[in-house]
């Protein structure tokens, strides 16, 4: 059906085009608009009229021009060659677009998402006569030095393996036959349909990020959902970059959805230079970037979110732990609002469509830890972290509120902390994680048996500090009791020595779970011992001026965990000497 004239334009309204004569078309079918062959997608059908959102500039397009039906849904190409690539919102490789048309993307240009000419070395792991089912891995390709690309039987196909062969093939060449159907390394999947799984599993393992405020106080699980709302300049991109670099995931999908052009440029320039700290290889070898800046057509923002999460699901189906970073979903929601307005739909709060909540939920629900399709017991996890950019930092606006209803972790960024150069600028008083109990057993096992008690003690102290600061502002610190002044002294250490991290310092940028436990335990041990000393009428100044206090403040620079045990013992003995 490709390039067969199917309809005629009757109305043009920015990125929305209405065409008649489309009675045989379906919702989400791809079309080419006008002789410029602009890429569009049908989003509404009324009789023989189709409303089409166009992913390119519609300037100069008018009524009477043709619409060509492509005969398939908006889809992504999945196979070897995804990693290290930069794509736009509809999976056109930016490098190839630049080679074909220069630095500015021309209208109607079409480039396949994956290289059709490159040959990949395919190594079978099954043999002729083996029975396989959908999702089974039949062979592997060493896509990058960090990632083995697993070639799976596409959904809906099962049977006996015939004519499987090793060698070098392009992604379109046949590598095997399954049940009489030819299998190549290329799969095509519609972006708006979640890829199938056997079932979802209850997540119990945290995604270790090395960021102390996250791992200790507000953890996210492998397969979980988190949102990072905050005003401009509060550090949303900083947090996501740290997660991309340091989280214990195997594949990273980064979506720049409508961010400012200069921010996305920084990402495109910086990511290829980043080194994977675990292997020393370039981080891009396990990363896919989708760049869709604010000056691109608004409709393309809406598609970029689904393009990214479909690629993420594909790697999850191989059994990998995948992290998807969306920066930011506010721009995606703005695209929904503009298209909804041009369709003449009844607006909801602040002009957003009434279905914003269900669309947001459907996106985040594609995250999860799953049992993958296939006869083998293979598990994969897709963790989604969405940044939200509420105007003026107003967290009561619809996008933030709808996100909070479905995301189970809330990392609330605070511009006041960012202005103080306190990063990550996550406010510990209004953030939360609903996964705390899910990861409790893991934390006890991997960090320390008394992890929950120490963590809760630290959080209680930080909340107590907020109450005391109100009093200090009114009557001054001298009006507080010695115990209350000790609380302020301890929480200063918690804020400056534990919660604050320097992303540019090789030692401080990442902290293992065990080390996080020891740093926190050192600070809390000093607090508890000092409190006992105050009960024995030891002066507060004598306690905070002890040399061991300086060692506690600097303890995050210790490199050997055995030194922490020694430090904690020294804290106890030095303080007890004062009243011993």
């Amino acid at each position: 059906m490709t390039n067969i004239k199917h309809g005629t334009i009757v109305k043009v309204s920015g990125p929305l085009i209405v065409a008649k004569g489309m009675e045989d078309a379906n919702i989400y079918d791809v079309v080419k608009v006008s002789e410029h062959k602009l890429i569009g997608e049908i989003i509404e059908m009324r009789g023989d009229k189709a409303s089409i959102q166009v992913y390119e500039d519609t300037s100069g397009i008018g009524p009477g021009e043709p619409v060509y039906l492509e005969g398939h849904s908006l889809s992504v190409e999945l196979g070897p060659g995804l990693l290290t690539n930069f794509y736009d919102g509809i999976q056109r490789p930016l490098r190839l677009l630049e080679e074909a048309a220069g630095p500015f993307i021309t209208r109607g240009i079409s480039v396949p998402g994956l290289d059709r000419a490159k040959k990949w070395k395919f190594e079978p792991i099954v043999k002729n006569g083996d029975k396989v089912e959908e999702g089974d891995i039949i062979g592997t390709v060493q896509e990058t030095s960090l990632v083995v690309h697993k070639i799976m039987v596409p959904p809906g196909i099962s049977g006996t393996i015939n004519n499987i062969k090793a060698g070098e093939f392009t992604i379109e060449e046949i590598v095997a036959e399954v049940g009489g159907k030819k299998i190549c390394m290329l799969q095509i999947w519609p972006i708006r349909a979640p890829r199938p799984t056997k079932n979802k599993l209850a997540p119990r393992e945290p995604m270790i990020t090395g960021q102390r405020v996250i791992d200790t106080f507000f953890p996210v699980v492998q397969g979980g959902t988190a949102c990072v709302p905050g005003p401009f300049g509060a550090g949303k991109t900083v947090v996501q970059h740290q997660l991309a670099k340091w989280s214990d995931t195997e594949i990273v999908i980064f979506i720049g959805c409508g961010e400012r052009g200069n921010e996305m440029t920084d990402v495109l320039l910086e990511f290829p230079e980043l080194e994977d700290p675990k292997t020393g290889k370039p981080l891009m070898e396990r990363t896919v970037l989708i760049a869709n800046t604010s000056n691109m057509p608004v409709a393309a923002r809406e598609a970029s979110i689904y393009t990214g999460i479909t690629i993420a699901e594909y790697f999850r189906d191989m059994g990998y732990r995948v992290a998807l970073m969306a920066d930011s979903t506010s721009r995606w929601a703005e695209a929904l609002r503009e298209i909804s307005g041009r369709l003449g739909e009844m607006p909801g709060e602040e002009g957003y469509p009434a279905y914003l909540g269900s669309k947001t939920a459907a996106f985040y629900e594609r995250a999860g830890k799953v049992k993958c399709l296939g006869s083998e017991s293979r598990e994969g996890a897709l963790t989604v972290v969405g940044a939200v950019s509420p105007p003026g930092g107003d967290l009561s606006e619809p996008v933030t509120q709808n996100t909070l209803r479905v995301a189970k972790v809330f990392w609330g960024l605070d511009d006041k902390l960012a202005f103080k150069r306190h990063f990550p600028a996550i406010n510990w008083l209004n953030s939360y994680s609903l996964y705390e109990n899910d990861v409790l057993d893991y934390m006890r096992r991997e960090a320390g048996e008394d992890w929950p008690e120490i963590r809760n003690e630290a959080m209680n102290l930080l909340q107590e500090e907020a109450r005391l600061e109100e009093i200090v502002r009114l009557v001054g610190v001298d009006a507080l009791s010695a115990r209350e002044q000790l609380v302020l002294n301890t929480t200063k250490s918690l804020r400056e020595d534990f919660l604050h991290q320097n992303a540019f310092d090789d030692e401080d940028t990442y902290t293992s779970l065990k080390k996080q436990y020891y740093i926190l335990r050192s600070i809390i041990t000093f607090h508890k011992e000092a409190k006992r000393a105050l009960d024995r009428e030891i002066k507060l100044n004598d306690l905070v001026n002890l040399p061991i206090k300086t060692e506690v403040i600097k303890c995050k620079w210790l490199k050997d965990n055995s030194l922490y045990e020694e430090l904690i013992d020294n804290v106890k003995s030095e303080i007890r000497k004062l009243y011993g």
Side-chain angles (χ1 to χ4, degrees), residues 181-244:
K181 294 185 178 178
K182 293 177 168 52
I183 304 290
C184 62
M185 291 187 281
L186 171 67
Q187 289 190 29
I188 295 176
W189 192 263
I191 63 173
R192 300 188 188 277
R195 283 178 63 88
T197 61
K198 279 188 175 177
N199 59 284
K200 281 199 171 183
L201 305 171
R204 290 286 182 268
E205 184 181 340
M207 182 177 83
I208 308 301
T209 67
Q211 310 309 298
R212 295 187 287 265
V213 65
I214 293 175
D215 293 344
T216 299
F217 293 114
F218 313 112
V220 62
V221 293
Q222 295 283 1
T225 53
C227 67
V228 195
F232 173 75
K236 295 183 292 295
T237 308
V238 171
V239 170
Q240 291 193 318
H241 283 197
Q242 283 294 90
L243 298 186

Side-chain angles (χ1 to χ4, degrees), residues 3-233:
N3 291 338
I4 298 175
K5 181 182 174 183
H6 203 82
T8 306
I9 296 173
V10 295
K11 176 184 175 183
V12 178
S13 176
L16 180 73
I17 282 178
V18 179
K20 66 179 181 179
M22 305 286 289
E23 58 276 351
D24 294 332
N26 297 306
I27 290 281
Y28 300 137
D29 276 357
V30 174
V31 297
K32 293 290 181 71
V33 175
S34 82
E35 297 301 344
H36 291 290
K37 300 292 194 301
L38 308 184
I39 300 172
E41 180 185 23
I42 297 173
I43 56 173
E44 184 181 74
M45 292 292 301
R46 291 185 182 178
D48 74 331
K49 287 186 177 179
S51 296
I52 301 162
Q53 66 177 357
V54 181
Y55 296 121
E56 301 183 74
D57 181 18
T58 58
S59 300
I61 307 299
E65 296 196 52
V67 172
Y68 302 94
L69 193 61
E70 291 288 285
H72 60 81
S73 300
L74 188 63
S75 305
V76 287
E77 297 180 352
L78 305 169
L82 283 169
L83 295 173
T84 74
N85 239 321
F86 305 101
Y87 291 110
D88 72 355
I90 50 177
Q91 208 203 7
R92 295 181 299 183
L94 295 181
R95 289 192 188 102
L96 294 183
L97 288 177
E98 184 181 19
E99 290 172 10
F104 297 99
I105 300 174
T106 55
R107 296 196 301 176
I109 188 168
S110 182
V111 179
L114 294 175
D115 191 337
R116 295 297 196 272
K118 184 172 181 178
K119 288 185 177 288
W120 299 91
K121 187 178 181 182
F122 175 75
E123 297 181 0
I125 61 171
V126 296
K127 58 185 185 300
N128 290 329
D130 288 350
K131 289 192 177 298
V132 294
E133 59 184 62
E134 56 180 351
D136 275 342
I137 297 168
I138 60 171
T140 61
V141 167
Q142 190 70 47
E143 183 172 357
T144 69
S145 63
L146 297 180
V147 178
V148 174
H149 196 109
K150 302 170 185 178
I151 307 302
M152 300 171 286
V153 178
I157 297 177
S158 59
T160 303
I161 288 280
N162 293 313
N163 198 27
I164 192 167
K165 48 197 174 183
E168 294 195 347
F169 304 95
T170 66
I171 58 172
E172 291 184 305
E173 290 180 315
I174 307 303
V175 296
E177 290 184 17
V178 175
K181 294 185 178 178
K182 293 177 168 52
I183 304 290
C184 62
M185 291 187 281
L186 171 67
Q187 289 190 29
I188 295 176
W189 192 263
I191 63 173
R192 300 188 188 277
R195 283 178 63 88
T197 61
K198 279 188 175 177
N199 59 284
K200 281 199 171 183
L201 305 171
R204 290 286 182 268
E205 184 181 340
M207 182 177 83
I208 308 301
T209 67
Q211 310 309 298
R212 295 187 287 265
V213 65
I214 293 175
D215 293 344
T216 299
F217 293 114
F218 313 112
V220 62
V221 293
Q222 295 283 1
T225 53
C227 67
V228 195
F232 173 75

Side-chain angles (χ1 to χ4, degrees), residues 520-530 568 571-572:
L520 198 58
R521 189 176 157 202
S522 302
I523 297 170
I524 297 302
T525 298
F526 185 93
H527 178 79
K528 287 181 175 179
E529 292 297 327
I568 290 166
V571 166
K572 293 176 181 177

Side-chain angles (χ1 to χ4, degrees), residues 307-354:
T307 297
I309 202 161
T310 305
I311 294 172
E313 287 174 335
Y314 175 65
F315 284 105
R316 174 211 64 193
D317 291 348
M318 297 181 197
Y320 287 123
R321 299 189 303 272
V322 184
L324 180 137
M325 316 291 171
D327 188 9
S328 81
T329 55
S330 294
R331 309 289 174 250
W332 164 74
E334 287 167 6
L336 288 178
R337 178 169 62 184
E338 177 162 340
I339 296 297
S340 174
R342 293 183 185 276
L343 284 171
E345 296 173 337
M346 182 69 73
E349 189 179 356
E350 293 190 21
Y352 288 101

